[in-house]
Amino acid sequence: MKNYLPKQYKKDNTFIIKHNYLSDQFRDFNIILKKFRKIIKNNDFTLGEEVDIFENNIKKLLNQKYVVAVGSGTDALMLSLKCLGVKEGDEVITTPYTFYATIGAIVTIGAKPIFVDIDDDYNIDPEKIEEKITKKTKAILPVHWSGRVCEMNQILKISKKYKIPIVEDSCHGILAKYNKKFAGSFGDFGCFSLHPLKNLNVWGDGGFVVIKKKKHFEQMMLLRNHGLVGRNKNLIFGYNSRLDTLQACVANHLLKKIKFLTKMRIKNALKFDNGLKKFKNIILKKREYNLNEVFHLYEFRLKNSKLRNNLIKHLKNNKIDAKIHYPVPMHLQPASKIYKYKNGDFPKAEQIANTTISLPVHEFVKDKDINYILKKIKSFFNEG
Ligand SMILES: *Cc1c(COP(=O)(O)O)cnc(C)c1O
């Protein structure tokens, strides 16, 4: 088995409009390296000062009381479920239309993912949650896909009625809002990733959790650092999942720009919306007045999968990095074989996986790039 990433990065460079924009984002990396020197001099590598600063920055940014920085978005999810006492044999309700890590976090602690189909917004369909609740349901785990918050009012109602806590997968959703409230601030836990491809990112892996209750906060502080109190007391058995001081330093640097780069994503997405709405074969997401999406991805759908696949080919031939996030939903992945799901079990997730396409929407996509992409989409429909 080989690591596919180096090949992937080389291929990315053949596009003129790319999903990957990190070398531009960190063009001013010398400022960060200067801070690194200080950290190295001080031997401040784990749970250092920059980690405290980062946690405080996030508290301020999202107006939250408790924030704990951890090793990754996956760990944020896994440790949140741990804090809730989710264990072997329990069930967690979630969506089949997500990144692998959402489900991996549930499965690695021994729980079973119970899928609920999505709606046209690519998010879990709240109407279909209640029928999946059993005595074993220990958490509801909605994913705010592409930075569009799920229908939280309905999900919160269900959570209250059955007394089942919510863990939000907000890995796509930093600064996204629903009814003026931030993604990650609805449930007991809001989980975020700092992976290089997320809106707020670092030079490797990282994540953090926004937490409602003090007792959960205290539990999370223990779990991320071996269950240690001070140096000599092991209160509970825990994990090693700390945000590196060096990565916290990178995150703190980028945090200064997060509002700007979110604004640019929104601006670009609206420009795409405007340019694409005239194509009769294209289905755009319905934009809702109470949702402030942050467009981790800019996605739309085609009338059928053949059209979608041909459009992607056409765009790639024109050096535009069109992608699919993702072509196979979780219930049909080889890893899910043990659950014996089959084609047709979650029709909306399958339909969207077969017809969706994502375009680069980050802050380095310029107006002229968007116009170029729109022109190429126009030529595709004229030709085909
Ligand atoms: C990226 C991502 C994760 C996992 O985050 P890592 O930091 O890569 O572990 C989880 N859920 C979703 C929806 C993601 O996009």
Side-chain angles (χ1 to χ4, degrees):
M1 259 184 163
K2 270 216 174 116
N3 190 343
Y4 77 93
L5 283 172
K7 241 189 348 210
Q8 170 82 34
Y9 292 138
K10 262 183 219 152
K11 211 173 90 202
D12 281 352
N13 273 331
T14 62
F15 296 112
I16 49 171
I17 305 173
K18 295 182 250 189
H19 269 280
N20 193 333
Y21 52 93
L22 298 174
S23 48
D24 286 318
Q25 189 159 75
F26 291 108
R27 221 179 283 158
D28 53 356
F29 62 87
N30 273 320
I31 303 172
I32 301 173
L33 294 185
K34 226 164 109 185
K35 279 197 178 170
F36 276 15
R37 289 212 177 83
K38 203 175 120 197
I39 292 169
I40 293 163
K41 267 194 197 138
N42 294 340
N43 302 314
D44 189 18
F45 293 114
T46 57
L47 298 180
E49 196 184 355
E50 287 282 342
V51 176
D52 284 343
I53 295 171
F54 173 74
E55 288 169 343
N56 283 326
N57 282 341
I58 295 291
K59 279 185 222 169
K60 251 185 263 157
L61 181 74
L62 301 180
N63 197 18
Q64 298 300 310
K65 199 158 171 200
Y66 302 115
V67 171
V68 180
V70 294
S72 68
T74 310
D75 281 0
L77 291 162
M78 194 263 289
L79 296 176
S80 295
L81 294 170
K82 271 271 167 198
C83 282
L84 288 170
V86 180
K87 57 181 188 324
E88 188 102 32
D90 290 341
E91 294 178 353
V92 176
I93 288 178
T94 191
T95 162
Y97 202 85
T98 185
F99 182 66
Y100 321 104
T102 316
I103 312 306
I106 297 168
V107 174
T108 48
I109 62 164
K112 185 179 176 190
I114 302 294
F115 296 123
V116 167
D117 206 2
I118 54 173
D119 207 343
D120 281 333
D121 62 358
Y122 296 46
N123 280 336
I124 192 166
D125 184 346
E127 301 287 340
K128 295 184 175 144
I129 292 176
E130 272 191 90
E131 64 199 59
K132 294 290 176 73
I133 291 175
T134 71
K135 279 201 189 80
K136 293 181 184 167
T137 312
K138 292 293 151 59
I140 302 172
L141 205 166
V143 179
H144 306 310
W145 189 254
S146 77
R148 177 183 176 117
V149 182
C150 297
E151 275 305 327
M152 289 313 294
N153 273 353
Q154 269 174 285
I155 298 171
L156 282 165
K157 257 187 215 147
I158 296 166
S159 157
K160 279 209 183 89
K161 180 169 163 193
Y162 293 91
K163 297 195 169 54
I164 299 170
I166 295 169
V167 174
E168 297 171 67
D169 183 337
S170 303
C171 290
H172 291 187
I174 189 158
L175 291 179
K177 280 183 185 169
Y178 172 96
N179 291 343
K180 304 204 162 73
K181 266 188 79 169
F182 283 118
S185 70
F186 294 91
D188 280 326
F189 297 87
C191 304
F192 294 81
S193 165
L194 299 169
H195 181 273
L197 294 180
K198 303 297 150 91
N199 291 16
L200 175 68
N201 50 55
V202 296
W203 293 350
D205 283 304
F208 62 92
V209 195
V210 166
I211 302 173
K212 268 268 148 55
K213 295 176 182 151
K214 189 166 175 230
K215 65 168 185 190
H216 289 150
F217 166 70
E218 285 167 354
Q219 185 82 354
M220 185 66 80
M221 290 292 275
L222 287 171
L223 283 179
R224 81 162 169 189
N225 190 31
H226 309 297
L228 280 181
V229 180
R231 188 171 169 271
N232 296 322
K233 188 162 145 196
N234 193 182
L235 199 62
I236 57 170
F237 291 117
Y239 296 80
N240 172 355
S241 184
R242 301 169 296 231
L243 180 65
D244 289 336
T245 310
L246 295 174
Q247 300 297 1
C249 187
V250 179
N252 284 329
H253 177 75
L254 197 58
L255 265 176
K256 293 181 193 130
K257 305 182 204 175
I258 185 69
K259 283 187 181 160
F260 167 75
L261 58 91
T262 302
K263 212 165 73 188
M264 293 303 285
R265 281 176 179 271
I266 295 168
K267 183 178 149 259
N268 286 342
L270 296 185
K271 194 138 202 275
F272 275 128
D273 271 3
N274 271 331
L276 292 173
K277 67 183 176 206
K278 62 173 177 283
F279 296 105
K280 65 177 191 310
N281 285 309
I282 283 180
I283 305 156
L284 298 181
K285 289 189 198 179
K286 218 170 127 224
R287 306 296 170 206
E288 306 285 349
Y289 74 94
N290 64 336
L291 284 176
N292 298 90
E293 300 180 53
V294 294
F295 299 97
H296 173 61
L297 304 167
Y298 181 82
E299 301 166 303
F300 61 88
R301 278 192 283 153
L302 280 299
K303 280 275 155 74
N304 60 59
S305 68
K306 188 162 163 252
L307 206 55
R308 189 270 310 267
N309 295 343
N310 286 339
L311 178 60
I312 291 193
K313 231 181 272 160
H314 175 77
L315 294 175
K316 282 196 189 290
N317 285 340
N318 284 288
K319 301 200 177 303
I320 300 160
D321 189 11
K323 278 192 154 70
I324 307 171
H325 294 90
Y326 288 91
V328 180
M330 287 311 301
H331 66 287
L332 299 176
Q333 289 288 346
S336 296
K337 210 166 61 195
I338 45 163
Y339 305 121
K340 298 197 166 60
Y341 286 114
K342 56 187 189 312
N343 245 314
D345 282 345
F346 303 101
K348 188 51 92 176
E350 292 164 24
Q351 185 199 26
I352 288 183
N354 283 330
T355 55
T356 190
I357 169 172
S358 332
L359 298 174
V361 70
H362 52 80
E363 73 269 29
F364 298 102
V365 177
K366 300 274 179 282
D367 279 357
K368 74 167 181 12
D369 299 327
I370 296 174
N371 290 335
Y372 173 76
I373 294 173
L374 291 171
K375 204 172 91 192
K376 291 301 164 191
I377 292 176
K378 184 158 181 261
S379 75
F380 171 78
F381 285 118
N382 287 343
E383 285 158 18

